[in-house]
Amino acid sequence: MIIVTGGAGFIGSVILKGLNDRGRNDILVVDSAENAMSPNLQGKHYLRFIDKEVFLSMLDGELPADEVETVIHMGACTSTTERDVAYLTKNNVEYSQRLATWCFDHNKQFIYASSAATYGNGALGFSDANESAEEYKPLNPYGESKKQFDIWLISNGFDKNCTGFKFFNVFGPNEYHKGDMASLVFKAYNQIKTDGALRLFKSYDPRYEDGEFVRDFIYVKDSLDVILWAFDHKEVTGIYNLGTGRARSWNDLAKALFSALNKPVNIKYIDMPESIRDAYQYFTEADMTKLEHAGYKKPFTSLEASVKDYVDAYLTKPNPYY
């Protein structure tokens, strides 16, 4: 049996579909009770949906350890604008520690989601080497909560018993419920559909022209491939970056989207809200050396091909879910 927390969410539901495609239906989906009827779960096959708090209580004895093979922990508060530190600590640190400890005590595979938000403004680089983890300064409480859990694992040597991934800018089907936290690709698609133009922030850093600040965009299907590779290679442990290793500009993304929609490029640069100017990342790029050395060799899909697949296979379809 496989347990997927956050299974009704963006990446979690894509993992659920990926497991189903392999013929694995022996899955417990763990998420908030209000997500039990999420469209992300339509057409998916699993044993049970369990509320995340009920599931936590099951770790005290009700969960049959001998039946569990792997826990894939994608459940967390993923809002980068959340300011309630106590809430983030409970959901992103303490919950993860409790679940990880259960896996370690019962010798179960534990795969979990960290975040590139742990790197802060990028001034110190994006190395996923353990010795660098303490140095980074996240720009928000969300990033700090993810850093705290990573540090807890590393400082106790538990990173040798699990596999974590620092997700960079993931986009793709099943992100539609995320609101402000959805990718620019999804939000831009709707902007272009509505008024034929895309609005991007002006630059407030003299090193970058408008729209030329860059991100490491990774398609959710590529993220799925990496997660399933880790699932297959239980001997691979540690905390790894999960991006493409190639940063691309917002302008590149915009051009790829206009191309996929067969529309002329029409970008309007707008003022960035003052509230985020001091904490805005102008550059992210995953150092993928560690994952490559661990044995992952599959090439990542280009930004242009990823955007086109997202548009053609999902966003323009009546049922856009993966």
Side-chain angles (χ1 to χ4, degrees):
M1 181 169 61
I2 303 166
I3 296 168
V4 180
T5 73
F10 173 28
I11 299 174
S13 63
V14 170
I15 292 171
L16 179 58
K17 174 66 161 58
L19 291 169
N20 284 172
D21 288 346
R22 289 176 158 211
R24 295 298 297 264
N25 302 331
D26 55 332
I27 302 166
L28 291 184
V29 172
V30 178
D31 212 307
S32 299
E34 61 265 26
N35 296 327
M37 301 304 292
S38 169
N40 281 350
L41 295 176
Q42 292 178 0
K44 310 295 194 302
H45 304 284
Y46 50 94
L47 296 172
R48 287 176 62 192
F49 180 101
I50 304 174
D51 174 73
K52 65 176 186 176
E53 297 303 327
V54 173
F55 175 72
L56 198 64
S57 69
M58 291 171 62
L59 299 180
D60 292 325
E62 187 180 344
L63 186 65
D66 58 333
E67 297 179 16
V68 176
E69 174 187 352
T70 298
V71 174
I72 302 176
H73 181 41
M74 299 289 119
C77 171
T78 58
S79 173
T80 60
T81 58
E82 177 61 61
R83 298 299 172 188
D84 188 336
V85 174
Y87 177 79
L88 287 163
T89 299
K90 177 183 177 182
N91 283 275
N92 292 5
V93 183
E94 294 171 358
Y95 195 106
S96 299
Q97 289 174 338
R98 179 74 181 88
L99 183 51
T101 298
W102 185 91
C103 289
F104 302 153
D105 287 347
H106 294 89
N107 195 30
K108 304 301 178 182
Q109 183 184 30
F110 181 65
I111 299 171
Y112 80 96
S114 182
S115 171
T118 58
Y119 292 123
N121 65 9
L124 298 176
F126 300 93
S127 170
D128 48 10
N130 282 1
E131 52 268 28
S132 303
E134 281 275 17
E135 302 172 5
Y136 298 113
K137 307 296 182 185
L139 297 175
N140 50 50
Y142 164 76
E144 181 62 32
S145 71
K146 288 296 190 177
K147 175 184 172 179
Q148 285 182 25
F149 182 62
D150 289 346
I151 295 300
W152 176 76
L153 289 170
I154 294 168
S155 62
N156 287 285
F158 296 150
D159 59 298
K160 300 178 180 64
N161 301 328
C162 66
T163 311
F165 292 102
K166 291 179 180 288
F167 287 92
F168 278 67
N169 287 69
V170 188
F171 68 94
N174 296 13
E175 64 170 317
Y176 316 121
H177 63 288
K178 291 176 67 67
D180 286 344
M181 294 300 108
S183 75
L184 178 64
V185 183
F186 176 57
K187 290 185 282 191
Y189 171 79
N190 289 311
Q191 284 183 29
I192 295 168
K193 264 184 50 176
T194 302
D195 57 24
L198 171 59
R199 296 178 294 278
L200 294 177
F201 288 142
K202 295 176 182 177
S203 175
Y204 292 82
D205 186 324
R207 296 173 298 174
Y208 297 90
E209 297 294 328
D210 291 342
E212 285 301 308
F213 18 100
V214 296
R215 291 286 188 278
D216 193 331
F217 301 105
I218 179 169
Y219 198 30
V220 71
K221 291 184 180 181
D222 285 333
S223 297
L224 170 63
D225 287 343
V226 175
I227 295 294
L228 293 180
W229 173 83
F231 174 74
D232 292 337
H233 293 83
K234 294 178 172 59
E235 74 283 359
V236 175
T237 59
I239 304 172
Y240 300 89
N241 283 335
L242 185 43
T244 65
R246 185 185 178 198
R248 301 291 300 276
S249 73
W250 292 115
N251 286 335
D252 287 339
L253 186 150
K255 292 171 185 176
L257 188 53
F258 280 108
S259 176
L261 290 167
N262 295 311
K263 292 181 177 292
V265 175
N266 184 5
I267 303 172
K268 297 179 180 179
Y269 299 103
I270 62 174
D271 292 334
M272 185 185 296
E274 289 189 18
S275 60
I276 66 172
R277 289 180 193 178
D278 292 339
Y280 195 80
Q281 288 180 306
Y282 281 83
F283 176 88
T284 68
E285 184 174 76
D287 179 347
M288 298 301 293
T289 306
K290 187 175 176 182
L291 187 64
E292 292 169 3
H293 286 170
Y296 190 78
K297 303 299 183 185
K298 186 174 181 179
F300 292 99
T301 312
S302 71
L303 178 63
E304 288 76 12
S306 298
V307 169
K308 183 169 177 54
D309 184 71
Y310 190 13
V311 170
D312 291 349
Y314 302 98
L315 292 178
T316 55
K317 301 299 182 184
N319 180 2
Y321 293 90
Y322 180 75

